[in-house]
Amino acid sequence: MHGYNVLRLVREGLTGHKGWQPAWRKAEPKSSYDAVIIGGGGHGMATAYYLAKIHGMTNIAVIEKGWIGGGNAGRNTTIIRSNYLYDASAAIYNHALTLWKGLSRELNYNIMMSHRGVLNLAHDEGEARQLKRRVEANRLNGVEAEWLEAKEVKAFCPPISVAADARYPVIGATLQRDGGTNRHDAVVWGYARAASEMGVDIIEQCEVTGIATEKGAVTGIETTKGHIATPKIASVTAGHTSVIANMVGVRLPIESHPLQALVSEPLKPVMPCVVMSNAVHVYMSQSSKGELVIGAGIDPYLSYTQRGSLDIIEHQMAALIELFPFVSRLRMMRQWGGIVDVCPDASPIISATEVKGFYVNGGWGTGGWKATPGSGHAMADLLANDRPNAIAAPFTLERFVTGDLVAEHGAAAVAH
Amino acid sequence: MFVITCPYCGERDLSEFAYGGEAHIARPEWREDMSDAEWAEFLFMRTNPKGILAERWMHAAGCRRFFNMLRNTATDDILAVYRIGETPPKVEARLPATPSGEAPIGSGNDAVKIIQPGEGA
Amino acid sequence: MGKQPYRAPKGGLVQRNRVIRFTFDGRSYPGHPGDTLASALLAHGHHMVARSFKYHRPRGILAAGSEDPAGLVTIGADAKRRDPNTRVAEQELYDGLVASSQNCWPSLLTDFGAINDAFARFMPAGFYYKTFKGPPGTWTGLFEPIIRAAAGMGRAPEPGDPDRYEAINRHCDVLVVGGGPAGLMAALAAGRSGARVILVEETARLGGSALARDPDRLAFDGTQPAQWVADIEKELATMPEVTVLPRTCAFGYYANNFVGLWEKVSDHLPEDKRLGHLPRQRLWRVRAREVVLATGALERPLVFHENDRPGVMLAGAVRTFLHRYGVMAGRRPAIFTNNDSGWVAAFDLARAGAEIAAIIDVRREMSPQHLAEAARLGIPIHASSTVVATAGYRRIRQVEVRPLHEDGTVGQGGSKIACDVLAVSGGWAPNVALFSQSRGKLAWDGELAAFRPGLSWQRERSAGAANGTFALADALAEGARAGVEAAAAAGFASGDVTVPEVEGAEPGQGRIKVMAELPSHLPAHRRRAWIDLQDDVTAKDLRLAVQEGYSAVEHAKRYTTTGMGTDQGKVVNLNAFAFLAAERGEDPVKVGTTTFRQPYKPVTFAALAGQHMGPHFLPRRTTPMHAWHRRHGAVFEPVGEWLRPRAYPREEEDFFAAVQREARTARSACGVLDASTLGKIDVKGPNAREFLNRVYTNAWMKLAPGMCRYGLMLGEDGMVMDDGVTACLADDHFHMTTTTGGAARVLAKLEDYLQTEWPELKVYLTSVTEQWAVASICGPKSPELVGEILDDFDPDPEKFPFMAWREATMAGIPVRVFRISFTGETSYEINIPATYGRWMWRTILEKGQKHGIAPYGTEAMHLLRAEKGFIIVGQDTDGTVTPHDLRMSWIVKKSGDFIGKRSLFRSDTARTDRRQLVGILTEDPELVLEEGSHIVARRNEPAPPVPMLGHVTSSYYSPNVGRSIALALVESGGTRIGDRLFATRGGLPTVPVRVTETDFLSLKENRQLPQAPREALNG
Amino acid sequence: MADETGGAPERRMPLFRRQAIEGAPGTLRLEELAFAAKFILRLDPQAGGEAFGAATGLDLPPAPLMSVVNGERAVLWLGPDEFLVLAPEGEAAGLADAVASGLKDVHHQFTEVSDYYTCIAVEGPKARKALMKLTTLDLHPRAFSVGTVAGSNFAQAQGWLWLEHEAEGAARFRLYVRWSMAEYLWGTLAEAGREWGLPEQEPVTGEPMLTESVTSRKA
Ligand SMILES: Cc1cc2nc3c(=O)[nH]c(=O)nc-3n(C[C@H](O)[C@H](O)[C@H](O)COP(=O)(O)OP(=O)(O)OC[C@H]3O[C@@H](n4cnc5c(N)ncnc54)[C@H](O)[C@@H]3O)c2cc1C
Ligand SMILES: NC(=O)c1ccc[n+]([C@@H]2O[C@H](COP(=O)([O-])OP(=O)(O)OC[C@H]3O[C@@H](n4cnc5c(N)ncnc54)[C@H](O)[C@@H]3O)[C@@H](O)[C@H]2O)c1
Ligand SMILES: Cc1cc2nc3c(=O)[nH]c(=O)nc-3n(C[C@H](O)[C@H](O)[C@H](O)COP(=O)(O)O)c2cc1C
Ligand SMILES: [Zn+2]
């Protein structure tokens, strides 16, 4: 792999940057692969990378209908944390957090992993109770978390308003110091580059239009670039998970909703950390480039249009101003939407299905970005070994039948 | 923000309505021998189509009636509204040409951006 | 500084007879009403007003409107009214305006950040992905703070915005966006039909591009443009159904013809003239039957080496500054163009007295009329030539021109031409942002080398330059037609409009020669040809992006950040797309565009929030007793939309002491709680019992009139969702109560089942929550008190048993009295029509005084019920708890269906080792566990993950039990009664606890509780 | 036994502290219309409309979104089987009795909500414009004529809007809103009327809340 480092940058700078190679090969599909991953988002790329790196499966392809990273990977607010309530969630999200920490180096691609800290606000006693329960569960699960009283919240994040007569006063917050944000596109590109280097074919602008099966087992996929034979298919398509699953008649408990986000004009640093509030339904951080990155809850209806309604944004702005009065005069520079795949228990699905060779990774809903490396890691293992590892086991489809849900509504928070 | 035609009150703004999820999922009568899987199908499993979806809405701020609506989730085109108990009307929709319906030059809505060669203007 | 050296001797729509003053970077300047900050600065020869994002290069003013990517400053003297990133070309001048430069230190002219420019070659697109990758933590700890401090543009204001904002809804038949010639005609035509019309114009006045023309050389039916516009405006003003909104930008085109408009009501007024009764800005939420998009066209710059100097301006902008604002951008302008529109700008400038340094045209063939006119005006022409370099720091002072060969190479020789402004024109492109937002599909127009509206999606049509119709007469006609058609489509027969005769029409841009990057003698990597002036993206960066595989338009955008600034690439994006197409050797249609997203230009957050701020942010639902609570020192808590008193601390008493006192009083004497917020639903109909049977887990067939029953309501997933007491009013008539927070949800759910699942059931539901004010009186003295306040009422608990209810009167007012209790104490819930609530409450407290009554808040209520082991849904349950988990199997009937029943039989839900609700007693009776503490099996926590048995849901110091008590959900809790377990304490040593039953009062009565020493009660 | 010192029962509407307020002459006026008898009638009009008419002398609105006025009584359409019945204060008991006996054999529900709702009169030439700041309903005279009733959201509060009367361009709307939302809505309406000179209204706000979580201090 062509190394990325300062020295090289200087050398290239002196010679006109002519030596840089494509970050990943623009592959055309071969007639068959040992496994095919549908979806070139963060999770799909991570799955491919770990399949190649850990399980030595390099005769594989990632099939992406558009450009890699153009789905939710390219439109999420990049909040990273692992302070989930249940053991199963703590395990996967914390595993992801551990991987995030070393990822820039591992991929030799700076993903700008910023551990600026994530505050989850409590505005009433009920929330405080839930959050404290979560902090304690986190501690016992080895997840970094602490409780801050309102005064400490203010000290940690000075721009926040902790007025006592606010409609929803801030009465405290959980803080995960090693939570934060990162550069979403870089993650996809970094994984792609590393996977491609190991021989993984990344095939863009190739839509999967059908799945071929024989005797209840997959044999290949139909794509806009032709048929590709493969015994193993992983659908890692986030908002489109149901669309893919419907191709093989696999029923899923997933619904696709619009989730919007927006950015302000770029500003000099004002927000030291990530702040999320469930009660007033808003969250905000500041990107390295300077925009305030702001999100809210999903639009209530199903939609695949990647756009939502303005009233969600209007409410979100009112809430944001209540929480951060300094923002009132700032301006919204761009708003956009993604399609999030929501599961009834706000936890993901990493599972084999009744169709042999068809695996599903989805249902991450509003909060799967933070899990990207952990999800890819577990999914690769499932694909390679055809059985869920300890981390993936609680997230199989079986739980919707037995009722053994991983109900993370509280921890999944507004949007993650 | 949609304009939804409440079958009772007429055209109103989306903000007056509450979403009720996929329609025509009948609650199975209690049976001793109903399997967990059968019950899970009712409780959780959804078609979630990209295309025509029959869904329920309630006119929450208005007449408080539930009703059904056909909407193309690929475009958000509202195709029909009808009352609870009525069968869905036949409708035409601008359905996606491929399962995702999205042009290869982009993802999501990018498909709608530019007229491609061969596409009628 | 009295003079305005670059003010043209005449012309412009500014009020020359009035002088107003503004300051820029601390210096005071004069200007005129009608100026923008840009025109006023240019009148003083100030081109350099800003610094770019990355390299901190000097930035001037490229465009004359909100599309300007470069001229950004901070407005406002007061930090609370600071508006960073304000475009000088958009900001109207007012007396006393204070502007300052941003993203530079220590000053605009001497900016240390400019050192970046010296290292630019080491900082190409995406350089940060390739470096700064130290061990974990180095990004956050080391590089990030440096990068972040360098990034960003303006500084955020301080909190305390003094301004007001509001949102308004409007429905209309025809919304016309854009007040240029096409829009004016559309509005006129539609207006005459009688349709409801809204015409919005982003700038301060109507007229659009007509105001950018020499008024002596353009006439509509013989009148000058400004007059013609004024006449139309006058006519529109006479039409009652037409609303004209200047200073209003249509920023977002959403589904179903919902268009967001952003009106700047008072941003153009001196601060002391901002009218208190009007908001600063308004959000208009318009629902239009039909929309006419007449948003004009935008000119794009040319991409060549060193094209980013202050003084490099769009030719159209130069014209606008001249004719609309009466400002000469330069005295010796050079023109650089690839189409005819640069020429007319040159002629205008020449006629206004400028000395044209040169017209440099990349084309070989040019319009003979233009050549003749140039000759007549004595303008030097450089045909088939290109600018290969520029010079000047604060302002351009020279261009180097070389011949351009057919094969796209540049020749030797050429000349250096002195100039003080370079007017560039890369051709015009229809302003399709809103069209694209509406989901319309763009079509590539090879002749314009630009996109134009192709396939409409919504009920909208484009007209004029926005539709690629650049010739003025055609634009007028198209605008009129669009107005007529839109009105007709909305059901209004057309009024007739005659399109005015235009004199002095211009031929348009002619044949345009597009070159993605103009050739140069320099090798590619030495060229610095800016594409995005704000974010510092050069052609080289885009080339690198393609080289490295980020060649998809969306990848290139994200890798280089082109078009991601505050201007969203309005005038520069097309150059980026064209460059990518050229680099990839592909058709522009194949390359595509990035997504046009809302907003068209940045919109203030507060305008989006409208009036929903401060006291109007969200409702504070309050009960009839609210004012009393406030007067009596209540501390409140939000419960859903409600505000409820949590406790009533007396002077010298802290919250905890108050809660202890209230709880003690409630059991030792008499307490009263405002329970008005409980949800109440009147249930009536022949099938009401059957209905209750299906929605609650227990049986309802036998409940007699006059009696009440407690019920648990589940979701279909089997999990407890709500609870409450329902009273039987008559055989077919019930009064149901729900939790405060659950009321709306429960009613909606019940209606859902009635309307969609069980339409055969004859049951009607009506919410009566606020019909009744409710006082819940409890304690040993409560019977006496209730007897006193009700008329002829025997409260004797023997005769009026627990779970009965009676009608009664209180001073003649009919009330309903329920013998139900959430505290385990003798209790009476009196429901009185809400208008009497305040009186009832005061009466109770007055009459209760001699019984030692105290009002108690929600916190004491929670404590009291916990003493009795009663659950609170949402506190002791969390959506994962079944009735069996609560060890309330007694409430689950065996036969018959009910909501959620089947779920209780799923293999996981039926497990017997699930977490179950139990009492928890710390061995140390003084120690109160934290809610959210976890229960573990062993005293010493092993290394994580520590196996958790459960968690504490409720925990209090109980004054009545005389020790701490807690409820917890514990694995197999029901089988662990009496066991010793441990509770975690956030890392402190765990404490031993006992698992008990949940009714602590009974445990106490049966002497099964260790007591705390007396003095603890006073703590 | 009611005590002599208790004072006579006083009835207060939620906005009893608010005086009627007015903007510049000929613009806008707000007032709480206190104390009227209000009932929600749930009834299938087909099955029971006649019986209801016989019992009360009131016709049900013939079509959705309409109202029927009969002297001081009125019936407003809220939904296909849901109506708001209005009558002067003091007629509540009589009305309830009449309905109870007259509709004995018809499945119906007649629930008193006199205190559940209050009514804010929004009147004047600017009434439509003021209300449009709060609701997405189309209140243009072409779309909302005299007699029209519509349920909608007014800012964040659900309510029922009835255009009771209009003369010479001055509309008189009645806005029915639940008790607990009345103060909020009053404040929001007053704010909307600032443009026409409605006086600023002291908002109900500023309730002291605990700004620390209690659970941690208990320990
Ligand atoms: C606005 C927004 C904010 C969010 N904020 C956060 C946050 O702060 N923190 C957080 O943790 N999570 C967040 N999320 C959620 C997170 O983005 C997603 O859970 C996660 O990115 C999903 O995984 P992915 O990256 O693989 O998905 P995607 O990037 O969506 O990948 C799926 C890919 O599959 C492709 N595909 C679909 N159908 C086909 C087909 N038929 N053939 C070929 N390819 C196909 C798509 O084009 C797409 O590229 C947010 C999401 C949104 C929309
Ligand atoms: N020289 C050329 O080749 C050339 C090119 C393009 C246009 N033109 C001229 O343009 C004229 C056509 O007139 P027209 O009316 O189509 O365009 P116009 O440019 O005169 O008017 C467009 C108006 O829309 C406004 N606007 C744009 N976006 C808006 C938004 N989002 N919200 C509110 N307002 C918005 C602008 O402020 C402007 O006033 C003709 O006179 C033609 O000569 C000439
Ligand atoms: C974390 C984050 C930061 C962003 N910052 C910017 C920005 O500074 N400028 C910008 O124009 N868009 C920004 N975007 C939005 C993207 O331009 C784009 O809207 C988004 O990726 C969705 O793609 P689409 O709009 O093409 O559908 C940002 C997006 C994310 C997820
Ligand atoms: Zn309705």
Side-chain angles (χ1 to χ4, degrees), chain A residues 288-360:
Chain A
S288 305
K289 200 165 146 268
E291 327 89 64
L292 297 173
V293 180
I294 300 162
I298 55 172
D299 281 57
Y301 50 84
L302 311 194
S303 179
Y304 285 88
T305 54
Q306 283 200 157
R307 47 181 68 190
S309 306
L310 184 67
D311 43 5
I312 299 272
I313 297 211
E314 296 174 61
H315 292 306
Q316 167 186 356
M317 287 294 117
L320 192 72
I321 293 168
E322 177 83 355
L323 211 50
F324 292 100
F326 84 92
V327 303
S328 66
R329 301 181 80 86
L330 300 179
R331 307 186 192 103
M332 167 169 87
M333 176 166 84
R334 188 178 175 93
Q335 66 170 100
W336 65 92
I339 311 164
V340 293
D341 40 335
V342 176
C343 260
D345 59 351
S347 286
I349 296 165
I350 303 175
S351 188
T353 64
E354 73 252 24
V355 178
K356 192 170 159 29
F358 182 68
Y359 304 85
V360 174

Side-chain angles (χ1 to χ4, degrees), chain D residues 2-54:
Chain D
D3 196 294
E4 300 75 38
T5 60
E10 15 162 37
R11 248 187 121 182
R12 296 289 201 206
M13 291 300 282
L15 296 172
F16 77 98
R17 282 180 206 81
R18 303 291 189 186
Q19 307 299 319
I21 52 174
E22 221 162 322
T27 55
L28 182 65
R29 185 169 183 280
L30 300 184
E31 180 184 7
E32 181 184 40
L33 303 182
F35 309 123
K38 309 177 199 84
F39 287 88
I40 297 281
L41 170 67
R42 300 290 309 265
L43 177 74
D44 174 357
Q46 230 81 63
E50 264 176 44
F52 180 76

